[in-house]
Amino acid sequence: MKNLSNDVLEMVAKQFRVLAEPVRLQILQCVGNEERAVGEIVERIKASQPNVSKHLKVMQEAGILIRRQEKNNAYYRVADPRIFDMCDMVCGALKKRMETRAKVLALL
Amino acid sequence: MKNLSNDVLEMVAKQFRVLAEPVRLQILQCVGNEERAVGEIVERIKASQPNVSKHLKVMQEAGILIRRQEKNNAYYRVADPRIFDMCDMVCGALKKRMETRAKVLALL
DNA sequence: TAACTATATTATTACATAGTTATATAGATG
DNA sequence: CATCTATATAACTATGTAATAATATAGTTA
């Protein structure tokens, strides 16, 4: 990590904050590499429609999702699939940490 | 991203939340690949000592920092340097997005 | 032991935001 | 035009947490 200014760090933190909500991660996972309508997402993740709409807006404004309007449906897709790699990295770190902890406990 | 359960997504979200604070990113950057005492960090990032201590605890409990006590000093280091890669990925995505936006504006 | 140093903790305040309910908007259809 | 459907927005409440001020802890030194 090159020496980033506080302004940049604040922008980076804001990006992380968008990913710091379980429901938004559910939405991301639900959308995957497809393009999905709002109603479809609402149905799949079982959250209220206004709540999903709000989260979608947050992710769109953060540049994580791209919105397309057609007829009276709105479709969303992931802007950059590398976001899934990030989630996998975190997930992998968590897994490793839990395995290590399990080994320690096994020695007791 | 493999189909992750909501429980796992919640843990992942929690990890992202730890990175979602500018001051914590400052601390991460300050620690870098060194091992730093609390006082050193406090001095460098110019935040209050209790505030830094609290953030350090949060990051330690999240498994992002490792603490070592020696004499009456506490030293912290980064558990997994790949965390810097994650920050760089976000930073790169931001940069790209801003460049794209700049090009669009240039056409007006 | 008293005073000093480094770090952690507690209580408090202020602010951000997730979720809900109700409503608005806007395109489609009868 | 009236109604229906899909999505977005607004107002509100509740919760989480960052920062601060004050204090505690614990090791060090005189």
Side-chain angles (χ1 to χ4, degrees):
Chain A
M1 187 155 71
K2 305 170 205 164
N3 200 26
L4 302 171
S5 74
N6 288 0
D7 290 344
V8 174
L9 289 182
E10 215 155 310
M11 296 198 308
V12 173
K14 202 177 266 182
Q15 286 290 116
F16 279 127
R17 167 156 267 143
V18 175
L19 299 175
E21 278 302 317
V23 174
R24 288 202 275 266
L25 295 182
Q26 281 183 60
I27 291 175
L28 263 183
Q29 185 169 251
C30 172
V31 171
N33 293 312
E34 317 279 319
E35 193 187 48
R36 293 213 188 277
V38 178
E40 208 175 346
I41 299 168
V42 168
E43 198 178 305
R44 290 195 182 221
I45 76 172
K46 300 189 179 192
S48 76
Q49 177 269 317
N51 196 20
V52 169
S53 268
K54 210 167 61 169
H55 284 306
L56 287 170
K57 189 183 183 190
V58 168
M59 289 195 276
Q60 188 217 331
E61 285 178 341
I64 291 173
L65 291 182
I66 293 172
R67 194 187 116 110
R68 181 175 66 87
Q69 179 105 27
E70 182 188 319
K71 306 194 313 181
N72 56 354
N73 290 46
Y75 297 91
Y76 289 86
R77 65 190 162 83
V78 172
D80 183 351
R82 277 178 300 181
I83 198 153
F84 295 127
D85 299 335
M86 289 218 351
C87 293
D88 286 338
M89 281 178 70
V90 172
C91 210
L94 279 173
K95 192 180 166 198
K96 190 177 168 188
R97 210 170 296 149
M98 292 181 86
E99 283 169 355
T100 304
R101 203 173 293 174
K103 275 181 197 162
V104 171
L105 288 173
L107 296 177
L108 297 180
Chain B
M1 188 156 71
K2 304 170 206 164
N3 201 25
L4 301 172
S5 74
N6 288 1
D7 290 344
V8 174
L9 289 183
E10 215 155 311
M11 297 198 308
V12 173
K14 202 176 265 181
Q15 286 290 116
F16 278 127
R17 167 154 270 141
V18 176
L19 300 176
E21 278 303 316
V23 175
R24 288 201 275 267
L25 295 182
Q26 281 183 58
I27 291 175
L28 264 184
Q29 186 170 252
C30 171
V31 171
N33 294 311
E34 317 280 318
E35 191 186 48
R36 293 213 188 277
V38 178
E40 207 175 347
I41 300 169
V42 168
E43 197 177 307
R44 290 195 182 221
I45 75 171
K46 301 187 179 193
S48 74
Q49 178 270 315
N51 197 20
V52 169
S53 268
K54 209 170 61 172
H55 285 306
L56 287 169
K57 189 183 183 191
V58 169
M59 289 194 278
Q60 188 217 331
E61 286 178 341
I64 291 174
L65 291 182
I66 293 173
R67 194 187 115 111
R68 181 175 66 86
Q69 179 106 28
E70 183 187 319
K71 308 192 315 179
N72 58 354
N73 290 44
Y75 296 92
Y76 288 87
R77 64 189 164 84
V78 171
D80 181 352
R82 277 179 300 179
I83 199 152
F84 295 127
D85 298 335
M86 289 218 350
C87 293
D88 286 338
M89 282 178 69
V90 172
C91 210
L94 280 173
K95 194 181 165 197
K96 190 177 168 189
R97 210 170 296 149
M98 292 181 86
E99 283 169 355
T100 304
R101 204 173 293 175
K103 276 182 197 161
V104 171
L105 288 173
L107 295 177
L108 297 181

